Amino acid sequence: GDLLIQICASDPLVVPVAAAALLNRAGDRVHERWRQSGRRGTNVPVGAELAAPRNLLGFIDGIVGPHTAAEQRRDLWLTGPSAVAGGTLAVVRRMELDLPRFAALSVAEQEAVFGRRRASGAPLSGGAVASGPDLGAKTPDGRYLVPANAHVRRAHANVVGAGLMLRRSYSIDEPAPGLLFISFQNDLRTFTATLTHMDAADALLDFTTTTATGTFLILPGFDRQRPLGAGLFGVHT
Ligand code: HEM
């Protein structure tokens, strides 16, 4: 598709109504090609002014990301070309999750897949939820506390050598239980390099099947003086 529209509401009934109204206003100029609804679970506080929901596997999802203004300037917002400065790039990816097979694992085995505690979200290397995992920490007999193939190690920005991505994913139950993964970053390589590093050996991938993917430019914010896309299309009020 050419255009991504994300419609969010705290009351789920509002979403299809808003979608129908927007499509009606667009008339023949816009044809809907693909639609996916998803839900965010209840937010769990994970740090100062930061909260994230659980996903269908039961783990808190959305802890690590560009949360400070400096990190957002570095890794989230586009600095140019000037028409899109202040915008960002979105990767949308629908993944089915094998819930029965994951549920058959013990809690310790599930936690080894991610590298974090299921109940609290704390890294297996210890410390608070919001603190990143200590990837060098080992047991007395020399095994990594965060296993070599744990998702948080394989996807870790420093291990990958990429920037931070703002992950804001949604749980889905249609067409199959899974995750509508959405990440925002100012460089697509942040996503592709992370995925390549995961592909080589990420325990989580045994439980996921990707069934849709796309990337989109997200325009900078707008106000009455500068409508959405004003910089790109030269619109002035
Ligand atoms: C259905 C598939 C996926 C699930 C269920 C999932 C879930 C999670 C969870 C629970 C965490 C740990 C908590 C957190 O930091 O938010 C995490 C971390 C992370 N995930 Fe995923 N994820 C999935 C796929 C992906 C994909 C495709 C990417 C990118 C290519 C990705 C990138 C990351 C990153 C960058 C982190 C932070 C790692 C760190 O620095 O600790 N994930 N994910």
Side-chain angles (χ1 to χ4, degrees), residues 118-236:
R118 189 174 75 180
S120 64
L124 292 186
S125 50
V129 189
S131 61
D134 175 355
L135 297 178
K138 289 187 176 171
T139 59
D141 59 345
R143 281 175 299 115
Y144 281 124
L145 290 175
V146 177
N149 61 353
H151 181 51
V152 301
R153 179 188 292 278
R154 299 307 301 187
H156 195 280
N158 293 348
V159 175
V160 175
L164 293 167
M165 56 179 90
L166 177 64
R167 290 170 297 119
R168 198 175 155 79
S169 299
Y170 294 77
S171 289
I172 59 174
D173 56 8
E174 288 287 337
L179 191 78
L180 183 66
F181 171 97
I182 307 183
S183 69
F184 301 98
Q185 53 272 300
N186 59 13
D187 185 351
L188 277 186
R189 192 191 155 269
T190 299
F191 176 82
T192 53
T194 306
L195 193 62
T196 304
H197 203 255
M198 287 167 56
D199 266 343
D202 187 317
L204 180 60
L205 293 186
D206 285 349
F207 301 90
T208 69
T209 308
T210 303
T211 56
T213 184
T215 60
F216 297 90
L217 167 70
I218 305 296
L219 295 171
F222 58 92
D223 57 25
R224 280 190 185 283
Q225 277 68 49
R226 285 177 58 82
L228 184 66
L232 197 58
F233 303 113
V235 182
H236 299 285

Side-chain angles (χ1 to χ4, degrees), residues 49-70:
E49 294 176 33
L50 185 64
R54 292 181 187 278
N55 58 36
L56 293 188
L57 300 179
F59 282 75
I60 304 170
D61 190 344
I63 301 169
V64 172
H67 300 308
T68 67

